[in-house]
Amino acid sequence: MEENFNLSVCGKQTVSGSSEKIELETSASYVTKNGSRYITYKEYSPDHPEQHYRTTIKIDGNNVVTVMKGGEENHHLILEQGERHKCEYNTPFGSLTLGVYTEYVGIDLDDHGGNLTVRYSIDIESELASSNELTLKIKETNKNVNSNKDNR
């Protein structure tokens, strides 16, 4: 995986009126295959910084966003505006089936990067567990931009 892009991830989660924000700056791979865009990056465990797992975000041609996370909290979220999907979420304590309703998907991506914003809620047994917003900003590294200019 060639990490040829800079990625900024901002996740906001609201549970019972209390919000928590997590921000991450990292290197990422950003490719297009068969009409879908893929952003792949490594995340590190806060409890075990020597361990990492891979997160892949797939944006397909129909504006459906799929988040696939490996590691102990392995999960596969399908985010499709106006739709509710059931998703398996694995934790160190066991597996949960979650309902994921996507309120909004905003995609402004091209071959050089761009932005992705998704707002969604998670429910357990049809009871609201959290409201979430995920914002990604991806852009070419300076090295990658310079090499593209040299090839023109």
Side-chain angles (χ1 to χ4, degrees), residues 22-94:
I22 297 173
E23 296 180 294
L24 168 70
E25 299 277 336
T26 189
S27 298
S29 167
Y30 178 59
V31 298
T32 301
K33 293 181 192 173
N34 301 323
S36 296
R37 296 185 186 276
Y38 293 85
I39 301 168
T40 303
Y41 61 98
K42 294 177 190 171
E43 288 190 58
Y44 292 86
S45 168
D47 298 329
H48 304 283
E50 70 282 355
Q51 296 178 347
H52 71 272
Y53 51 91
R54 187 177 313 259
T55 298
T56 299
I57 299 171
K58 175 186 175 189
I59 303 102
D60 78 12
N62 296 322
N63 294 335
V64 176
V65 176
T66 305
V67 179
M68 299 161 279
K69 188 175 281 195
E72 287 182 347
E73 295 183 4
N74 181 13
H75 65 265
H76 189 110
L77 297 179
I78 300 169
L79 304 165
E80 181 178 8
Q81 187 167 314
E83 298 293 328
R84 182 178 181 270
H85 292 274
K86 287 188 176 181
C87 303
E88 289 294 315
Y89 189 91
N90 296 312
T91 73
F93 309 105

Side-chain angles (χ1 to χ4, degrees), residues 12 54 58 64 95 120 124:
K12 181 179 175 186
R54 187 177 313 259
K58 175 186 175 189
V64 176
S95 181
Y120 60 98
I124 301 172

Side-chain angles (χ1 to χ4, degrees), residues 121-141:
S121 60
I122 294 178
D123 65 77
I124 301 172
E125 300 289 330
S126 299
E127 292 291 324
L128 180 64
S130 67
S131 297
N132 306 274
E133 183 169 323
L134 176 65
T135 303
L136 283 82
K137 296 180 181 182
I138 189 158
K139 63 181 181 176
E140 293 177 291
T141 61

